[in-house]
Amino acid sequence: MQRLFRRLPFVTPGSTEQVAPPELQRRFHHLYGDIAWYGLLAGTTIAFLGVYAARLGASALQIGLLTAGPALVNLVFTLPIGRWLQSRPIGRSVFGSAVAFRLLYLVYALLPLTLPPDAQLQALIWATFLFTIPGVALAIGFNALFAQAVPPEWRGVVAGRRNALLSVTYIVASLLSGYILNSTSLEVGYTLIFGLGFIGAAMSTYHVGKLRDVRERPDEEPERIRQVIGDAASPGDMRGGQGTGQRVGVGLRAFTRGKNLLRLEVLRGAYG
């Protein structure tokens, strides 16, 4: 996979002369590795978690909690976490959030062979609620880290390739998961695909960690994000990059443009 990333051309679209310098190429390799491994996670654990809950006999309410729980946590914690990220080094904060959030997938991998079905359902729901809190920080912070690591003229290229890599790895991982589930028992099959998902999460986090020391040039004013980056492959997305998930654009703009956009007093009025 790393050899494939190294063969990707780093030339600005419409130009045969402007080639990315080696430092940027290394960043791009890690961004591609991040999303390729995340596609493995999305096509295994994330894609089949609801199916597994249904196979365990989950009620409609329990499946609804698994589906809507991350959105509820996102709603409650987006603005406080955005304010918290504002005063911290973004790269290291994103890496720490990724480590904390993706321990969730290790919990999923251990459940099928360790607990009875009823206890598994309860563990799935509560673990999802708990670990989604650092997931909100990852979803907000990664967008800012992406903007900081990739210059504006390269963002379209990098985001497009990331989206393409996500689609390919998601399809391959989903087909592989279906084959495994058709060939094994319920407990063994889901342990295997959740284990593959955890491997994808761990490797994706490794690549995110390689970006944690990215800084802007000290002699330049920090860049402000004034438009949507266009990267649909956010690693904080609980739905495999196929929807909005936890990609919280409002929180992103709030903490990247300045604290004066965090207008919490509006919650005291009619909206509150």
Side-chain angles (χ1 to χ4, degrees), residues 58-227:
S59 65
L61 175 61
Q62 289 173 319
I63 294 177
L65 287 173
L66 278 175
T67 304
L72 177 61
V73 174
N74 175 37
L75 177 66
V76 173
F77 287 96
T78 291
L79 290 178
I81 288 179
R83 176 170 286 179
W84 175 76
L85 285 171
Q86 212 170 3
S87 60
R88 301 182 63 84
I90 191 63
R92 296 182 182 276
S93 299
V94 169
F95 176 63
S97 300
V99 172
F101 173 52
R102 287 169 174 173
L103 287 174
L104 171 67
Y105 300 108
L106 177 60
V107 174
Y108 288 161
L110 296 175
L111 286 180
L113 295 178
T114 57
L115 294 176
D118 289 342
Q120 286 188 51
L121 287 173
Q122 295 299 319
L124 284 174
I125 294 170
W126 286 108
T128 300
F129 270 87
L130 178 63
F131 283 94
T132 298
I133 297 174
V136 174
L138 173 60
I140 298 174
F142 182 83
N143 286 275
L145 179 63
F146 183 98
Q148 187 168 296
V150 184
E153 64 270 19
W154 290 99
R155 288 176 190 166
V157 177
V158 175
R161 288 174 176 170
R162 279 171 54 83
N163 295 339
L165 282 170
L166 175 65
S167 298
V168 171
T169 54
Y170 182 88
I171 292 171
V172 172
S174 297
L175 293 174
L176 176 63
S177 297
Y179 175 78
I180 292 174
L181 293 176
N182 284 334
S183 306
T184 59
S185 63
L186 177 69
E187 293 80 6
V188 173
Y190 280 98
T191 298
L192 288 175
I193 67 169
F194 289 169
L196 287 174
F198 174 68
I199 292 173
M203 292 303 299
S204 176
T205 303
Y206 164 78
H207 286 286
V208 171
K210 289 295 184 178
L211 299 170
R212 65 181 180 269
D213 291 323
V214 170
R215 292 184 178 88
E216 298 171 348
R217 289 173 54 185
D219 57 335
E220 293 182 351
E221 181 183 354
E223 181 183 0
R224 303 303 183 187
I225 301 173
R226 304 188 184 279
Q227 61 185 10

Side-chain angles (χ1 to χ4, degrees), residues 1-11 20 24-40 142 146 150 154-166 169 200 203-204 207-208 211 231 233:
M1 190 173 292
Q2 286 296 115
R3 292 179 181 177
L4 173 63
F5 300 152
R6 293 192 183 100
R7 292 177 182 175
L8 292 173
F10 290 96
V11 180
L24 283 183
Q25 291 186 27
R26 285 191 289 271
R27 294 183 192 177
F28 297 167
H29 289 150
H30 288 302
L31 286 167
Y32 299 147
D34 156 56
I35 208 57
W37 285 106
Y38 180 75
L40 174 63
F142 182 83
F146 183 98
V150 184
W154 290 99
R155 288 176 190 166
V157 177
V158 175
R161 288 174 176 170
R162 279 171 54 83
N163 295 339
L165 282 170
L166 175 65
T169 54
M203 292 303 299
S204 176
H207 286 286
V208 171
L211 299 170
D231 180 23

